Amino acid sequence: MDTRDPFAAVAALPGVPEAVETARKAVDALLGHRTMRRRSPEISAESALRGARASAALEGADWSLEEVRRRTDYSRTDDAEAGIVGGALRLSAEYGTLVDIWRRSPLQVLARLHMVAAADVVAADALGRPRLAGEDVAVRPDPGVLPGADEVTARLDGLARLLIEPSEAPAIVVAALVHGEILALQPFVWGNGLVARAAQRIVLITRGLDPKSAVVPEVGHLDLGADAYEKALRGYVSGTPEGVAGWVGHCAEAVTLGARESVAVCEAVMRGM
């Protein structure tokens, strides 16, 4: 792997360029849709809602979209699923405020994402910081054997350094690797999936693929299935070229499906949804 630009080296793995190109074309079709051009705030808001609902479902709170729209109070601490959905919704409101910070301090954004997601679930002293040795971790999806706390800190630092360096890699590849690394490390005691999928969104925004945050990759991951999600993640964790390429391809397919989801929303808006 080219240590000068490891993101670009992953982008060149067999199968990855084709998967990325398919996803990019799907996103371009969405961004070029006439409803997207005229009513992008509505589409972006609907994307955020659908993404939050799907991310919560992947975390174990599979509520209907109607229920997520209807409910207004997620603060009950005795309702575990409400805590998940509430955290996902709060995250969906944060993307625009964190874009500039991500470009210079990804770790600060990851800490903020965890604080937002887990505010109603974990103790205050566990919010926004990497897990400590011996702490229990709520794992979903399961990447296999988790690295120790020291390795988590070192790898997060390394990821942050890479992210602030220039790279020729497509946004989809960078987003997939950020997503996969957070899931592989499970750096927080709770909510790692929510944080990883939010970070994926932020990368797609900051790297210019989806500047209006209209794509719903979370729906794509949900449509592909939790089992396929976990299997692809374990391929990433294996570190083999085939496993890493398979994970990036899986994430690219999720972006493709997420773009098509928003095209369907555009069509519904045209019909007076």
Side-chain angles (χ1 to χ4, degrees), residues 20 29 48 76 78 83 89 102 110 117 123 125 142 145 167 171 177 179 191 201-202 208 219 242 252 262:
V20 168
R76 282 180 51 191
D78 61 340
L89 286 169
W102 177 269
L110 291 179
D125 65 354
D142 186 357
V145 178
S167 174
L177 294 176
H179 185 175
R201 277 247 193 179
I202 291 172
V219 167
E242 297 80 9
S262 287

PDB file of all heavy atoms in Angstrom, residues 20 29 48 76 78 83 89 102 110 117 123 125 142 145 167 171 177 179 191 201-202 208 219 242 252 262:
ATOM      1  N   VAL A  20     -17.283   2.565  -7.111  1.00  0.00           N
ATOM      2  CA  VAL A  20     -17.311   4.002  -6.849  1.00  0.00           C
ATOM      3  C   VAL A  20     -17.969   4.751  -8.006  1.00  0.00           C
ATOM      4  O   VAL A  20     -18.765   5.674  -7.800  1.00  0.00           O
ATOM      5  CB  VAL A  20     -15.883   4.522  -6.597  1.00  0.00           C
ATOM      6  CG1 VAL A  20     -15.839   6.047  -6.620  1.00  0.00           C
ATOM      7  CG2 VAL A  20     -15.360   4.003  -5.260  1.00  0.00           C
ATOM      8  N   ALA A  29     -27.130  11.697 -10.605  1.00  0.00           N
ATOM      9  CA  ALA A  29     -28.517  11.677 -11.075  1.00  0.00           C
ATOM     10  C   ALA A  29     -29.442  12.343 -10.062  1.00  0.00           C
ATOM     11  O   ALA A  29     -30.376  13.067 -10.423  1.00  0.00           O
ATOM     12  CB  ALA A  29     -28.960  10.239 -11.342  1.00  0.00           C
ATOM     13  N   ALA A  48     -32.303  13.450   5.979  1.00  0.00           N
ATOM     14  CA  ALA A  48     -31.833  13.380   7.361  1.00  0.00           C
ATOM     15  C   ALA A  48     -32.765  12.514   8.211  1.00  0.00           C
ATOM     16  O   ALA A  48     -32.310  11.689   9.008  1.00  0.00           O
ATOM     17  CB  ALA A  48     -31.724  14.786   7.943  1.00  0.00           C
ATOM     18  N   ARG A  76     -37.115   9.500  27.602  1.00  0.00           N
ATOM     19  CA  ARG A  76     -37.353   8.502  28.638  1.00  0.00           C
ATOM     20  C   ARG A  76     -36.165   7.562  28.773  1.00  0.00           C
ATOM     21  O   ARG A  76     -35.803   6.851  27.840  1.00  0.00           O
ATOM     22  CB  ARG A  76     -38.599   7.682  28.313  1.00  0.00           C
ATOM     23  CG  ARG A  76     -39.912   8.374  28.620  1.00  0.00           C
ATOM     24  CD  ARG A  76     -41.081   7.490  28.259  1.00  0.00           C
ATOM     25  NE  ARG A  76     -40.937   6.154  28.837  1.00  0.00           N
ATOM     26  CZ  ARG A  76     -41.720   5.113  28.504  1.00  0.00           C
ATOM     27  NH1 ARG A  76     -42.658   5.267  27.582  1.00  0.00           N
ATOM     28  NH2 ARG A  76     -41.547   3.946  29.073  1.00  0.00           N
ATOM     29  N   ASP A  78     -35.941   4.897  30.470  1.00  0.00           N
ATOM     30  CA  ASP A  78     -36.291   3.491  30.605  1.00  0.00           C
ATOM     31  C   ASP A  78     -36.666   2.863  29.265  1.00  0.00           C
ATOM     32  O   ASP A  78     -37.030   1.693  29.207  1.00  0.00           O
ATOM     33  CB  ASP A  78     -37.446   3.310  31.593  1.00  0.00           C
ATOM     34  CG  ASP A  78     -38.719   4.020  31.141  1.00  0.00           C
ATOM     35  OD1 ASP A  78     -38.612   4.933  30.298  1.00  0.00           O
ATOM     36  OD2 ASP A  78     -39.795   3.663  31.633  1.00  0.00           O
ATOM     37  N   GLY A  83     -33.994   5.875  23.207  1.00  0.00           N
ATOM     38  CA  GLY A  83     -32.674   6.475  23.318  1.00  0.00           C
ATOM     39  C   GLY A  83     -31.881   6.376  22.027  1.00  0.00           C
ATOM     40  O   GLY A  83     -31.180   7.311  21.639  1.00  0.00           O
ATOM     41  N   LEU A  89     -31.630  10.932  15.648  1.00  0.00           N
ATOM     42  CA  LEU A  89     -32.248  12.173  15.183  1.00  0.00           C
ATOM     43  C   LEU A  89     -31.417  13.393  15.559  1.00  0.00           C
ATOM     44  O   LEU A  89     -31.268  14.327  14.761  1.00  0.00           O
ATOM     45  CB  LEU A  89     -33.654  12.297  15.762  1.00  0.00           C
ATOM     46  CG  LEU A  89     -34.714  11.387  15.134  1.00  0.00           C
ATOM     47  CD1 LEU A  89     -35.982  11.406  15.975  1.00  0.00           C
ATOM     48  CD2 LEU A  89     -35.018  11.809  13.703  1.00  0.00           C
ATOM     49  N   TRP A 102     -14.678  19.460  10.972  1.00  0.00           N
ATOM     50  CA  TRP A 102     -14.154  18.161  10.532  1.00  0.00           C
ATOM     51  C   TRP A 102     -12.882  18.339   9.697  1.00  0.00           C
ATOM     52  O   TRP A 102     -11.933  17.567   9.835  1.00  0.00           O
ATOM     53  CB  TRP A 102     -15.215  17.421   9.721  1.00  0.00           C
ATOM     54  CG  TRP A 102     -14.746  16.113   9.165  1.00  0.00           C
ATOM     55  CD1 TRP A 102     -14.173  15.885   7.950  1.00  0.00           C
ATOM     56  CD2 TRP A 102     -14.779  14.842   9.830  1.00  0.00           C
ATOM     57  NE1 TRP A 102     -13.857  14.555   7.797  1.00  0.00           N
ATOM     58  CE2 TRP A 102     -14.222  13.897   8.938  1.00  0.00           C
ATOM     59  CE3 TRP A 102     -15.249  14.416  11.076  1.00  0.00           C
ATOM     60  CZ2 TRP A 102     -14.121  12.533   9.266  1.00  0.00           C
ATOM     61  CZ3 TRP A 102     -15.146  13.071  11.399  1.00  0.00           C
ATOM     62  CH2 TRP A 102     -14.579  12.142  10.499  1.00  0.00           C
ATOM     63  N   LEU A 110     -15.729  13.720  16.140  1.00  0.00           N
ATOM     64  CA  LEU A 110     -16.148  12.403  16.631  1.00  0.00           C
ATOM     65  C   LEU A 110     -16.582  12.489  18.093  1.00  0.00           C
ATOM     66  O   LEU A 110     -17.579  11.866  18.488  1.00  0.00           O
ATOM     67  CB  LEU A 110     -15.015  11.395  16.464  1.00  0.00           C
ATOM     68  CG  LEU A 110     -14.668  10.996  15.035  1.00  0.00           C
ATOM     69  CD1 LEU A 110     -13.518  10.004  15.026  1.00  0.00           C
ATOM     70  CD2 LEU A 110     -15.875  10.418  14.302  1.00  0.00           C
ATOM     71  N   ALA A 117     -25.090  11.778  20.369  1.00  0.00           N
ATOM     72  CA  ALA A 117     -25.801  10.508  20.210  1.00  0.00           C
ATOM     73  C   ALA A 117     -26.133   9.861  21.546  1.00  0.00           C
ATOM     74  O   ALA A 117     -27.212   9.292  21.723  1.00  0.00           O
ATOM     75  CB  ALA A 117     -24.958   9.547  19.370  1.00  0.00           C
ATOM     76  N   ALA A 123     -23.315   7.568  31.047  1.00  0.00           N
ATOM     77  CA  ALA A 123     -22.940   8.516  32.096  1.00  0.00           C
ATOM     78  C   ALA A 123     -22.169   9.695  31.503  1.00  0.00           C
ATOM     79  O   ALA A 123     -21.459   9.556  30.500  1.00  0.00           O
ATOM     80  CB  ALA A 123     -22.092   7.816  33.146  1.00  0.00           C
ATOM     81  N   ASP A 125     -19.520  11.174  32.335  1.00  0.00           N
ATOM     82  CA  ASP A 125     -18.059  11.075  32.237  1.00  0.00           C
ATOM     83  C   ASP A 125     -17.596  10.157  31.111  1.00  0.00           C
ATOM     84  O   ASP A 125     -16.396  10.073  30.834  1.00  0.00           O
ATOM     85  CB  ASP A 125     -17.458  10.637  33.571  1.00  0.00           C
ATOM     86  CG  ASP A 125     -17.871   9.233  33.988  1.00  0.00           C
ATOM     87  OD1 ASP A 125     -18.720   8.616  33.306  1.00  0.00           O
ATOM     88  OD2 ASP A 125     -17.349   8.744  35.008  1.00  0.00           O
ATOM     89  N   ASP A 142     -20.948  -6.335  15.000  1.00  0.00           N
ATOM     90  CA  ASP A 142     -19.834  -6.960  15.699  1.00  0.00           C
ATOM     91  C   ASP A 142     -18.656  -7.163  14.749  1.00  0.00           C
ATOM     92  O   ASP A 142     -18.738  -7.960  13.820  1.00  0.00           O
ATOM     93  CB  ASP A 142     -20.289  -8.299  16.273  1.00  0.00           C
ATOM     94  CG  ASP A 142     -19.227  -8.962  17.144  1.00  0.00           C
ATOM     95  OD1 ASP A 142     -18.118  -8.400  17.258  1.00  0.00           O
ATOM     96  OD2 ASP A 142     -19.495 -10.036  17.686  1.00  0.00           O
ATOM     97  N   VAL A 145     -12.998  -9.556  17.482  1.00  0.00           N
ATOM     98  CA  VAL A 145     -12.202  -9.194  18.659  1.00  0.00           C
ATOM     99  C   VAL A 145     -11.886  -7.703  18.624  1.00  0.00           C
ATOM    100  O   VAL A 145     -11.386  -7.177  17.619  1.00  0.00           O
ATOM    101  CB  VAL A 145     -10.897 -10.003  18.706  1.00  0.00           C
ATOM    102  CG1 VAL A 145     -10.048  -9.585  19.902  1.00  0.00           C
ATOM    103  CG2 VAL A 145     -11.202 -11.497  18.778  1.00  0.00           C
ATOM    104  N   SER A 167      -5.600  14.043  -0.310  1.00  0.00           N
ATOM    105  CA  SER A 167      -5.699  12.697  -0.881  1.00  0.00           C
ATOM    106  C   SER A 167      -6.420  12.776  -2.211  1.00  0.00           C
ATOM    107  O   SER A 167      -7.323  13.591  -2.398  1.00  0.00           O
ATOM    108  CB  SER A 167      -6.458  11.759   0.060  1.00  0.00           C
ATOM    109  OG  SER A 167      -6.668  10.495  -0.554  1.00  0.00           O
ATOM    110  N   ALA A 171     -14.418  10.526  -2.526  1.00  0.00           N
ATOM    111  CA  ALA A 171     -15.104  10.708  -1.243  1.00  0.00           C
ATOM    112  C   ALA A 171     -15.698   9.406  -0.737  1.00  0.00           C
ATOM    113  O   ALA A 171     -15.685   9.131   0.472  1.00  0.00           O
ATOM    114  CB  ALA A 171     -16.197  11.762  -1.402  1.00  0.00           C
ATOM    115  N   LEU A 177     -13.805   4.118   4.575  1.00  0.00           N
ATOM    116  CA  LEU A 177     -12.703   3.777   5.472  1.00  0.00           C
ATOM    117  C   LEU A 177     -12.890   4.412   6.849  1.00  0.00           C
ATOM    118  O   LEU A 177     -12.582   3.784   7.870  1.00  0.00           O
ATOM    119  CB  LEU A 177     -11.373   4.195   4.846  1.00  0.00           C
ATOM    120  CG  LEU A 177     -11.006   3.429   3.570  1.00  0.00           C
ATOM    121  CD1 LEU A 177      -9.723   3.968   2.953  1.00  0.00           C
ATOM    122  CD2 LEU A 177     -10.881   1.929   3.840  1.00  0.00           C
ATOM    123  N   HIS A 179     -15.840   5.111   8.174  1.00  0.00           N
ATOM    124  CA  HIS A 179     -16.949   4.312   8.696  1.00  0.00           C
ATOM    125  C   HIS A 179     -16.437   2.974   9.238  1.00  0.00           C
ATOM    126  O   HIS A 179     -16.739   2.576  10.368  1.00  0.00           O
ATOM    127  CB  HIS A 179     -17.925   4.112   7.539  1.00  0.00           C
ATOM    128  CG  HIS A 179     -19.190   3.416   7.866  1.00  0.00           C
ATOM    129  ND1 HIS A 179     -20.197   3.262   6.934  1.00  0.00           N
ATOM    130  CD2 HIS A 179     -19.655   2.791   8.978  1.00  0.00           C
ATOM    131  CE1 HIS A 179     -21.209   2.605   7.467  1.00  0.00           C
ATOM    132  NE2 HIS A 179     -20.898   2.302   8.711  1.00  0.00           N
ATOM    133  N   GLY A 191     -23.062   3.376  21.121  1.00  0.00           N
ATOM    134  CA  GLY A 191     -23.434   4.225  19.998  1.00  0.00           C
ATOM    135  C   GLY A 191     -22.427   4.317  18.874  1.00  0.00           C
ATOM    136  O   GLY A 191     -22.507   5.235  18.051  1.00  0.00           O
ATOM    137  N   ARG A 201     -21.507  10.299   6.602  1.00  0.00           N
ATOM    138  CA  ARG A 201     -22.247  11.402   5.982  1.00  0.00           C
ATOM    139  C   ARG A 201     -21.370  12.657   5.890  1.00  0.00           C
ATOM    140  O   ARG A 201     -21.335  13.343   4.862  1.00  0.00           O
ATOM    141  CB  ARG A 201     -23.480  11.732   6.815  1.00  0.00           C
ATOM    142  CG  ARG A 201     -24.672  10.865   6.545  1.00  0.00           C
ATOM    143  CD  ARG A 201     -25.757  11.701   5.903  1.00  0.00           C
ATOM    144  NE  ARG A 201     -27.018  11.006   5.908  1.00  0.00           N
ATOM    145  CZ  ARG A 201     -28.136  11.517   5.430  1.00  0.00           C
ATOM    146  NH1 ARG A 201     -28.157  12.738   4.922  1.00  0.00           N
ATOM    147  NH2 ARG A 201     -29.249  10.825   5.430  1.00  0.00           N
ATOM    148  N   ILE A 202     -20.706  12.973   6.978  1.00  0.00           N
ATOM    149  CA  ILE A 202     -19.910  14.201   7.013  1.00  0.00           C
ATOM    150  C   ILE A 202     -18.784  14.145   5.983  1.00  0.00           C
ATOM    151  O   ILE A 202     -18.479  15.149   5.319  1.00  0.00           O
ATOM    152  CB  ILE A 202     -19.380  14.452   8.432  1.00  0.00           C
ATOM    153  CG1 ILE A 202     -20.544  14.815   9.363  1.00  0.00           C
ATOM    154  CG2 ILE A 202     -18.329  15.558   8.442  1.00  0.00           C
ATOM    155  CD1 ILE A 202     -20.171  14.895  10.822  1.00  0.00           C
ATOM    156  N   GLY A 208     -17.178  16.770  -1.035  1.00  0.00           N
ATOM    157  CA  GLY A 208     -17.803  17.330  -2.218  1.00  0.00           C
ATOM    158  C   GLY A 208     -18.711  16.418  -3.006  1.00  0.00           C
ATOM    159  O   GLY A 208     -19.311  16.865  -3.997  1.00  0.00           O
ATOM    160  N   VAL A 219     -30.027   4.149   4.655  1.00  0.00           N
ATOM    161  CA  VAL A 219     -31.089   3.319   4.082  1.00  0.00           C
ATOM    162  C   VAL A 219     -30.481   2.233   3.209  1.00  0.00           C
ATOM    163  O   VAL A 219     -30.941   1.084   3.201  1.00  0.00           O
ATOM    164  CB  VAL A 219     -32.076   4.193   3.283  1.00  0.00           C
ATOM    165  CG1 VAL A 219     -32.992   3.329   2.417  1.00  0.00           C
ATOM    166  CG2 VAL A 219     -32.919   5.035   4.232  1.00  0.00           C
ATOM    167  N   GLU A 242      -8.736  -8.095  -0.395  1.00  0.00           N
ATOM    168  CA  GLU A 242     -10.082  -8.505  -0.798  1.00  0.00           C
ATOM    169  C   GLU A 242     -11.120  -8.056   0.221  1.00  0.00           C
ATOM    170  O   GLU A 242     -12.214  -7.595  -0.146  1.00  0.00           O
ATOM    171  CB  GLU A 242     -10.133 -10.030  -0.964  1.00  0.00           C
ATOM    172  CG  GLU A 242      -9.249 -10.587  -2.054  1.00  0.00           C
ATOM    173  CD  GLU A 242      -7.789 -10.720  -1.650  1.00  0.00           C
ATOM    174  OE1 GLU A 242      -7.467 -10.537  -0.446  1.00  0.00           O
ATOM    175  OE2 GLU A 242      -6.961 -10.999  -2.531  1.00  0.00           O
ATOM    176  N   ALA A 252     -20.151   1.561  -1.097  1.00  0.00           N
ATOM    177  CA  ALA A 252     -20.498   2.231  -2.352  1.00  0.00           C
ATOM    178  C   ALA A 252     -21.896   1.815  -2.807  1.00  0.00           C
ATOM    179  O   ALA A 252     -22.678   2.647  -3.291  1.00  0.00           O
ATOM    180  CB  ALA A 252     -19.466   1.906  -3.426  1.00  0.00           C
ATOM    181  N   SER A 262     -33.441   8.830  -2.431  1.00  0.00           N
ATOM    182  CA  SER A 262     -33.749  10.261  -2.478  1.00  0.00           C
ATOM    183  C   SER A 262     -34.319  10.685  -3.821  1.00  0.00           C
ATOM    184  O   SER A 262     -35.099  11.647  -3.890  1.00  0.00           O
ATOM    185  CB  SER A 262     -32.509  11.082  -2.125  1.00  0.00           C
ATOM    186  OG  SER A 262     -32.237  10.979  -0.732  1.00  0.00           O
TER     187      SER A 262
END
